[in-house]
């Protein structure tokens, strides 16, 4: 099935299933130095708020990159993922000694988890796909419900304003014929759902989340992929230091494919 056919699938969960038969999550965060920037930045922020032994829920866990990282560092990890293909990719990475709970399910219903049972909840994916605002709020409410008082919630979004440049890099006619409103620069929400920085803030405010941190997790690393991948280790270390230096500057926040918000319920 191609993306044109997938676009016409009305049921959101069924659409997500098909999207991840086209987009492969397996190596998205680890296939290159440039691809690693998002992961390294996200983990660096999360680790400021949690300690080994804490309970983490990874909702929309994909191929398990975050779940496996934290489980192998001694955190107690539960992972929930919707798409068959990503569950398969996740299971393929599991080693006999990995101790984590992986289930297939939907972020809209976390009733299998008890209220106030996790120190941290990661919502790294469902908000890339839920197109209805009420569903987005329900998903945030579920994450809040299972998070302990004082626990931390981590939300990621795809940045509307930067993806325009990423698309331009892939298609030289994107500015004239791309799928976005030519006046407001609002992207069509397919195959992902896109948010401006202000829209993220407004959604989290409506969801009763107090935002503590806002981070541009990958910045321009996809646009600069070739250059970054050609760096030697010392160059890459220094690129990362530069990225960490700029990634929370408010004036640069939207200039990133992915945005991370840290909050409390
Ligand atoms: C781009 S991937 C991100 C995977 C991983 N969390 C990461 O950050 O690399 C988005 C993930 O969210 C999952 N997802 C989307 N909607 C979901 C929902 N309603 N419930 C659970 N998972 C969902 C997708 O199947 C996919 O694995």
């Amino acid at each position: 099935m191609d993306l044109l056919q997938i676009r016409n699938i009305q049921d959101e969960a069924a659409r997500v299933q098909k999207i991840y038969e086209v987009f492969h999550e397996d190596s998205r965060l680890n296939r290159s130095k440039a691809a690693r920037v998002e992961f390294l930045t996200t983990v660096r922020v999360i680790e400021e708020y949690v300690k080994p032994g804490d309970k983490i829920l990874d909702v929309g866990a994909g191929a398990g990159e975050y779940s496996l990282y934290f489980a192998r560092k001694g955190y107690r990890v539960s992972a929930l993922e919707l798409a068959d293909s990503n569950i398969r990719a996740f299971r393929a990475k599991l080693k006999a000694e990995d101790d984590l709970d992986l289930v297939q399910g939907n972020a809209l219903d976390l009733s299998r988890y008890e209220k106030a049972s996790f120190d941290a909840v990661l919502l790294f994916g469902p908000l890339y796909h839920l197109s209805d605002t009420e569903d987005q709020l329900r998903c945030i409410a579920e994450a809040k419900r299972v998070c302990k008082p004082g626990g931390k919630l981590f939300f990621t979004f795809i940045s509307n304003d930067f993806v325009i440049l990423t698309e331009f890099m892939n298609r030289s006619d994107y500015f004239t014929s791309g799928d976005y409103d030519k006046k407001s620069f609002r992207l069509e929400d397919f195959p992902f759902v896109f948010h401006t920085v202000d829209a993220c803030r407004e959604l989290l405010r409506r969801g009763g989340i107090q935002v503590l941190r806002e981070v541009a997790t990958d910045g321009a690393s996809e646009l600069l992929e070739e250059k970054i991948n050609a760096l030697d280790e010392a160059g890459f270390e220094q690129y990362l230091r530069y990225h960490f230096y700029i990634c929370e500057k408010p004036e640069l926040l939207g200039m990133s494919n992915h945005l991370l918000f840290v909050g409390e319920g």
Side-chain angles (χ1 to χ4, degrees):
M1 196 177 260
D2 63 23
L3 280 177
L4 277 179
Q5 293 166 304
I6 295 173
R7 188 195 294 251
N8 294 326
I9 299 175
Q10 294 307 307
D11 179 70
E12 204 136 65
R15 197 161 66 237
V16 169
Q17 286 280 8
K18 291 292 175 195
I19 286 172
Y20 287 98
E21 287 175 15
V22 176
F23 291 92
H24 297 290
E25 275 301 299
D26 197 16
S27 60
R28 187 180 72 84
L29 293 170
N30 61 25
R31 64 171 183 264
S32 68
K33 289 192 182 86
R36 210 72 193 135
V37 173
E38 178 185 342
F39 177 83
L40 294 171
T41 309
T42 305
V43 159
R44 184 175 190 261
V45 173
I46 296 172
E47 287 182 327
E48 290 184 35
Y49 297 96
V50 292
K51 56 185 181 321
D54 280 357
K55 286 185 72 185
I56 295 181
L57 176 62
D58 186 5
V59 185
E65 201 71 11
Y66 291 101
S67 289
L68 288 166
Y69 172 85
F70 284 108
R72 289 172 186 168
K73 288 195 83 171
Y75 292 80
R76 291 174 291 160
V77 175
S78 298
L80 178 130
E81 167 54 41
L82 181 64
D84 295 342
S85 54
N86 293 342
I87 293 264
R88 272 197 304 276
F90 191 151
R91 291 222 164 97
K93 291 182 187 170
L94 281 173
K95 297 184 181 147
E97 62 273 23
D98 285 325
D99 182 17
L100 58 79
D101 172 47
L102 168 62
V103 294
Q104 189 159 22
N106 195 314
L108 292 172
D109 174 15
L110 301 181
S111 56
R112 71 181 73 232
Y113 305 112
E114 281 184 21
K115 184 178 172 205
S117 53
F118 292 96
D119 299 285
V121 180
L122 319 183
L123 211 65
F124 295 169
L127 296 171
Y128 306 166
H129 291 284
L130 293 167
S131 50
D132 182 74
T133 306
E134 291 312 311
D135 283 344
Q136 295 172 5
L137 289 169
R138 188 167 144 203
C139 171
I140 292 168
E142 277 293 83
K144 252 175 82 167
R145 185 184 64 77
V146 300
C147 190
K148 290 178 184 175
K152 297 293 175 284
L153 294 136
F154 299 85
F155 304 94
T156 54
F157 297 89
I158 306 181
S159 169
N160 183 89
D161 298 349
F162 195 72
V163 166
I164 291 177
L165 287 185
T166 316
E167 292 292 339
F168 176 49
M169 183 182 69
N170 296 325
R171 274 178 56 186
S172 51
D173 68 342
Y174 188 75
F175 273 102
T176 48
S177 57
D179 291 332
Y180 70 95
D181 184 290
K182 303 296 180 296
K183 289 207 171 83
S184 67
F185 293 96
R186 183 73 184 84
L187 291 163
E188 189 189 322
D189 280 330
F190 182 83
F192 301 100
V193 170
F194 305 98
H195 287 82
T196 61
V197 172
D198 281 345
C200 301
R201 290 178 181 144
E202 174 59 11
L203 182 72
L204 294 175
R205 188 197 62 74
R206 286 184 62 188
I209 302 294
Q210 189 204 340
V211 173
L212 308 174
R213 295 270 288 274
E214 301 176 340
V215 188
T217 48
D218 46 359
S221 59
E222 189 173 337
L223 292 188
L224 300 175
E225 189 165 18
E226 255 179 60
K227 292 266 185 199
I228 295 172
N229 289 345
L231 291 171
D232 61 14
E233 284 310 315
F236 183 58
E237 286 296 313
Q238 191 58 11
Y239 174 80
L240 271 182
R241 278 189 209 106
Y242 166 72
H243 172 70
F244 295 155
Y245 158 72
I246 61 169
C247 70
E248 295 187 61
K249 285 186 180 257
E251 65 272 29
L252 296 176
L253 205 56
M255 295 307 277
S256 176
N257 278 317
H258 296 88
L259 301 166
L260 169 67
F261 286 71
V262 184
E264 284 181 336

